[in-house]
Amino acid sequence: MQLLILRHGQAEPMFGDDAARALTERGRAQVAEICALRAAELARVQAIWASPFLRTQQTAQIVAERLRLPVITESFLVGDTSPQRVLDELQQADAEEFPLLLVSHQPLVGSLVNGLCGSGNAHPLGTASLACLSAEVWANGCAELEWLQHAE
């Protein structure tokens, strides 16, 4: 099974409610660039799960429009969620949802990629970075990083 993990694009500075921060124009361009660079891989995605925060919803929507898929909002995909909570949800997911795209925040995305691969902090994820992992079971140290694409 494949899991794709996308960090949201660049967002506005924090001036209050973190959940209400929108993508900047650069952030939108970063996400569009990633979509273009990895169009073939993204075309296989069967479901998109995204954090409820505005910037991740906007990021997911850019991808969803290209793939003609709905965005499923998952409240557990916020940045401070325990990676184990996400792994528990992935283990409950239907096989038909894979390849699955998760759209979320740091530190969660970095913890997921590095934890699943057992790679410490070897794979940093900047804004709009997209990672593709494969595994038979979603547990720490059980996945292989197929590729990691960073935005410019």
Side-chain angles (χ1 to χ4, degrees):
M1 290 184 291
Q2 281 188 323
L3 177 67
L4 288 86
I5 300 174
L6 175 62
R7 183 177 175 200
H8 62 79
Q10 181 187 68
E12 299 171 330
M14 183 128 119
F15 290 118
D17 182 11
D18 184 40
R21 292 171 53 212
L23 290 179
T24 61
E25 285 304 314
R26 180 171 186 268
R28 289 180 184 282
Q30 288 176 317
V31 176
E33 173 194 0
I34 288 296
C35 287
L37 289 170
R38 292 297 180 166
E41 294 91 341
L42 285 167
R44 294 191 293 269
V45 166
Q46 298 299 305
I48 302 170
W49 294 0
S51 155
F53 285 21
L54 178 59
R55 61 190 176 275
T56 48
Q57 289 288 309
Q58 291 173 325
T59 298
Q61 195 57 47
I62 292 168
V63 180
E65 287 173 4
R66 292 172 183 250
L67 302 181
R68 293 188 170 97
L69 289 172
V71 174
I72 301 165
T73 302
E74 296 288 3
S75 62
F76 62 85
L77 286 176
V78 295
D80 61 356
T81 295
S82 158
Q84 187 58 52
R85 168 75 195 281
V86 179
L87 298 180
D88 292 345
E89 295 290 339
L90 290 172
Q91 291 167 7
Q92 302 285 330
D94 290 329
E96 294 84 35
E97 291 188 271
F98 291 91
L100 172 64
L101 172 64
L102 302 182
V103 184
S104 190
H105 314 261
Q106 284 288 38
L108 181 59
V109 293
S111 296
L112 283 171
V113 169
N114 288 295
L116 283 164
C117 296
S119 55
N121 290 319
H123 307 297
L125 277 79
T127 53
S129 289
L130 177 63
C132 180
L133 294 85
S134 60
E136 294 301 315
V137 61
W138 299 112
N140 284 328
C142 292
E144 179 181 325
L145 180 65
E146 292 190 12
W147 49 263
L148 175 58
Q149 181 73 56
H150 299 289
E152 302 233 351

